[in-house]
Amino acid sequence: MDYRRFGKTNLALSIFTLGTMRYLASPENAIATIKAAVKRGINHIETARGYGNSEEYLGVALMELLQGNSPLQREQLYITTKLSPVGNAEEVERYIDESLDRLKVNYLDGLAIHGINTRQHLEWVLDDHGGMQGINQALRDGRVRHLGFSTHGSLDLILATLNTDLFQFINLHYYYFFQRNAAAIALAHQKDLGIFIISPADKGGKLHTPPEQLSQLCHPLTPLEFNYQFLLSDPRITSLSLGAANPEELTLLDRLSLLQNAIDQNDSTAIPIPQDTINRLETHATKVLGSDQCSQCYACLPCPETINIPEILRLRNLAVAYSMTDYGQYRYSMFENAGHWFPGMKGNRCSNCGDCLPRCPEQLNIPALLEDTHDRLKGKSGRRLWG
């Protein structure tokens, strides 16, 4: 396993982090998954108050891993949990203490504000007399070592949050197939924040189960290896979330050629950019999508019907160019069903008002493309894995 500096926290994190939203089948499964991750060199485990029994299960696993004459010490594992931006100072301190109790530790290496997704969430952070008082007290007395935030928000909101200079790390959505947040990567690096990428396998494209078209374009890498290599070729990125549901899913690490290269060369900056694969993917998309390709400039917004036009057309790009229809249906189903975690109306809400048309530099027929995307990707309504 390779390790990288997590920005100004100065923690040396493994390039893969165990995310714990999916290991909740049983306490025994959770404990076995955590042990398998630590055995493979993962030293950062990330959970949240909202992930069901995740904190409790992790606490039991930590007791087993650290008990008796175990050579593993608490200081060798970095534990991050998350709490939502709600509550006053007293409530927030209670939330932190409850997490510490469930995790069976006396300090958190990282605490992330979970989901700064709206301006109201940012206002909560900036309120000197609100819940942040509780977080600041925990930072002063050592219950929390480092503060960060996760976000599913707009790029403007992410940049505004980074510019508060209140944080030491960020949990961010950014992948080869979603590069909208590139400016956030740059600003976070400029401010020396640790950069942790959320869900590069699942929300990065359901790359555990890729379509044949995409697999052929990425060969000899698998699509998942390609995305991991794309991300880790960027030395600004510290760690990628690997949300294993069971120990067997961690065997993926044993097969990743890019990880072995990093180990062999003992240099995290040595992972090469997969430029040949990128060229193939870009050439193929341009050929297949032709004049209907959305460049993701976001100039079409705002939409009077609050349709997230660029995201819907991104899903269309992927479905048409790479046969990523299953992924597109999975994400499209979240519209109108996930609140501020995935905002926006579905494409069939378009009223053909035409406001977006003169703003589009590609002169796309946006209403027609929204209708086409809806027909391709509509299905059963989706929901978030946790509430």
Side-chain angles (χ1 to χ4, degrees):
M1 182 64 67
D2 198 14
Y3 302 84
R4 293 182 178 181
R5 177 179 173 272
F6 196 40
K8 64 179 70 175
T9 72
N10 284 318
L11 302 177
L13 262 56
S14 47
I15 58 174
F16 288 97
T17 288
L18 179 65
T20 60
M21 192 168 74
R22 297 179 59 243
Y23 72 174
L24 300 173
S26 69
E28 294 76 19
N29 178 70
I31 292 165
T33 304
I34 292 164
K35 287 182 174 179
V38 172
K39 182 179 179 181
R40 285 173 170 80
I42 289 177
N43 69 357
H44 183 219
I45 305 174
E46 197 238 17
T47 183
R49 280 180 57 86
Y51 291 175
N53 295 320
S54 175
E55 288 185 332
E56 179 184 346
Y57 293 173
L58 176 52
V60 175
L62 290 173
M63 283 191 67
E64 292 194 18
L65 284 166
L66 301 173
Q67 68 182 351
N69 296 320
S70 169
L72 188 66
Q73 301 299 309
R74 166 68 180 94
E75 293 74 19
Q76 294 173 275
L77 291 178
Y78 302 123
I79 309 300
T80 295
T81 195
K82 304 189 289 293
L83 60 81
S84 299
V86 295
N88 58 35
E90 182 181 344
E91 289 170 326
V92 166
E93 284 203 70
R94 186 176 76 249
Y95 299 155
I96 292 170
D97 288 339
E98 288 172 354
S99 289
L100 290 168
D101 183 62
R102 285 191 289 264
L103 290 164
K104 297 179 173 35
V105 296
N106 55 18
Y107 70 91
L108 297 167
D109 299 280
L111 175 69
I113 297 176
H114 196 180
I116 299 181
N117 300 336
T118 69
R119 288 285 165 179
Q120 289 73 28
H121 296 148
L122 181 55
E123 289 169 7
W124 183 90
V125 168
L126 296 173
D127 182 1
D128 292 335
H129 303 290
M132 284 295 290
Q133 279 189 319
I135 290 176
N136 289 330
Q137 179 57 44
L139 287 164
R140 284 192 295 268
D141 63 33
R143 283 174 291 167
V144 173
R145 299 282 176 88
H146 305 287
L147 180 64
F149 71 99
S150 71
T151 178
H152 296 232
S154 67
L155 177 59
D156 288 348
L157 180 68
I158 297 169
L159 297 177
T161 305
L162 288 169
N163 279 321
T164 65
D165 293 323
L166 294 172
F167 300 101
Q168 293 178 292
F169 65 91
I170 181 173
N171 302 358
L172 189 65
H173 289 282
Y174 175 76
Y175 325 107
Y176 174 76
F177 295 113
F178 177 74
Q179 297 181 44
R180 170 65 175 170
N181 289 336
I185 295 279
L187 183 59
H189 176 68
Q190 176 187 322
K191 292 179 176 291
D192 197 25
L193 269 69
I195 299 174
F196 171 60
I197 301 299
I198 306 169
S199 191
D202 183 56
K203 295 181 179 66
K206 289 194 77 173
L207 301 179
H208 282 300
T209 53
E212 181 61 27
Q213 173 81 75
L214 184 61
S215 295
Q216 291 176 4
L217 288 166
C218 291
H219 185 78
L221 298 170
T222 67
L224 185 55
E225 286 176 328
F226 162 70
N227 195 40
Y228 285 162
Q229 188 166 336
F230 169 78
L231 293 169
L232 291 174
S233 66
D234 188 337
R236 300 173 300 179
I237 292 171
T238 304
S239 190
L240 315 180
S241 177
L242 199 160
N246 52 60
E248 289 70 33
E249 290 188 7
L250 286 161
T251 60
L252 169 72
L253 293 178
D254 304 332
R255 303 194 302 272
L256 284 176
S257 58
L258 72 96
L259 179 61
Q260 190 59 53
N261 288 339
I263 293 170
D264 291 345
Q265 299 190 40
N266 195 30
D267 180 0
S268 62
T269 64
I271 297 174
I273 298 173
Q275 194 59 55
D276 288 348
T277 306
I278 291 171
N279 292 343
R280 277 198 305 277
L281 289 166
E282 290 180 350
T283 299
H284 183 79
T286 299
K287 178 181 178 181
V288 173
L289 289 164
S291 60
D292 287 340
Q293 184 170 15
C294 172
S295 66
Q296 297 288 282
C297 69
Y298 280 63
C300 54
L301 297 182
C303 169
E305 307 300 335
T306 65
I307 297 169
N308 189 339
I309 297 170
E311 179 62 10
I312 290 177
L313 297 190
R314 179 182 78 94
L315 297 176
R316 184 185 185 278
N317 283 352
L318 298 179
V320 173
Y322 308 128
S323 301
M324 294 172 68
T325 302
D326 187 42
Y327 170 69
Q329 290 174 339
Y330 157 54
R331 297 306 287 164
Y332 189 75
S333 71
M334 296 294 176
F335 286 119
E336 305 181 27
N337 290 290
H340 60 76
W341 296 98
F342 200 68
M345 307 301 284
K346 287 184 166 67
N348 64 331
R349 305 288 187 176
C350 176
S351 62
N352 284 289
C353 69
D355 281 8
C356 57
L357 295 176
R359 298 199 296 264
C360 177
E362 282 92 24
Q363 298 184 313
L364 298 177
N365 186 344
I366 292 174
L369 293 176
L370 291 174
E371 181 180 4
D372 177 74
T373 307
H374 183 76
D375 290 341
R376 289 175 185 271
L377 303 182
K378 67 184 176 182
K380 294 181 179 179
S381 296
R383 60 182 296 273
R384 288 178 58 78
L385 185 60
W386 56 278

